[in-house]
Amino acid sequence: MSSTAPNGQAPGALVIGFEGWFLVRLTTDPDPTNDPRGVSGYTLAVAGEADLDNWIRLNPPLDLVREPGRALAQTGRMKVGVRVTSVTQPGRRVDGAEALMGGPVELLPSSRGVPM
């Protein structure tokens, strides 16, 4: 007896689609992963910014977003954040799915985000 459907999904599982822009501030190669500022990789903290913290923020506060992203978001030309775009269940109607559409996606109940 198989615990998955032919498409690889668990029977009765909700399939939730999402999309958007998120923020992650981490060092990149060749800097070590615990370097708080970044030196030789393509990601670094500039003067006046907080240290890189290796957290994923799916819906970051705009004060953490660098320009030009902040200005684009403030003028409505870019939506910062990750939102639900679809809710399906193979072979079944999902009652209440409309209530989830457009809602923010969060991986942890923390305004800080998710540690890497």
Side-chain angles (χ1 to χ4, degrees):
M1 180 174 210
S2 174
S3 64
T4 59
N7 60 7
Q9 297 169 348
L14 281 179
V15 179
I16 300 176
F18 53 91
E19 63 183 44
W21 295 95
F22 66 94
L23 174 70
V24 60
R25 299 186 70 233
L26 57 103
T27 54
T28 52
D29 194 36
D31 291 329
T33 57
N34 63 350
D35 187 320
R37 303 295 297 171
V39 177
S40 36
Y42 69 88
T43 304
L44 53 97
V46 297
E49 278 190 328
D51 287 346
L52 304 174
D53 59 11
N54 297 335
W55 280 71
I56 297 172
R57 292 175 178 87
L58 296 183
N59 293 287
L62 283 183
D63 63 321
L64 292 180
V65 178
R66 273 191 193 169
E67 295 300 344
R70 183 180 306 152
L72 291 171
Q74 288 172 333
T75 59
R77 292 182 287 168
M78 181 174 96
K79 293 183 179 179
V80 176
V82 179
R83 303 276 183 246
V84 175
T85 57
S86 64
V87 180
T88 61
Q89 190 174 37
R92 302 176 83 180
R93 173 177 154 70
V94 180
D95 291 329
E98 327 60 63
L100 297 174
M101 298 299 294
V105 175
E106 293 291 353
L107 298 178
L108 288 177
S110 168
S111 60
R112 185 167 180 201
V114 179
M116 297 277 306

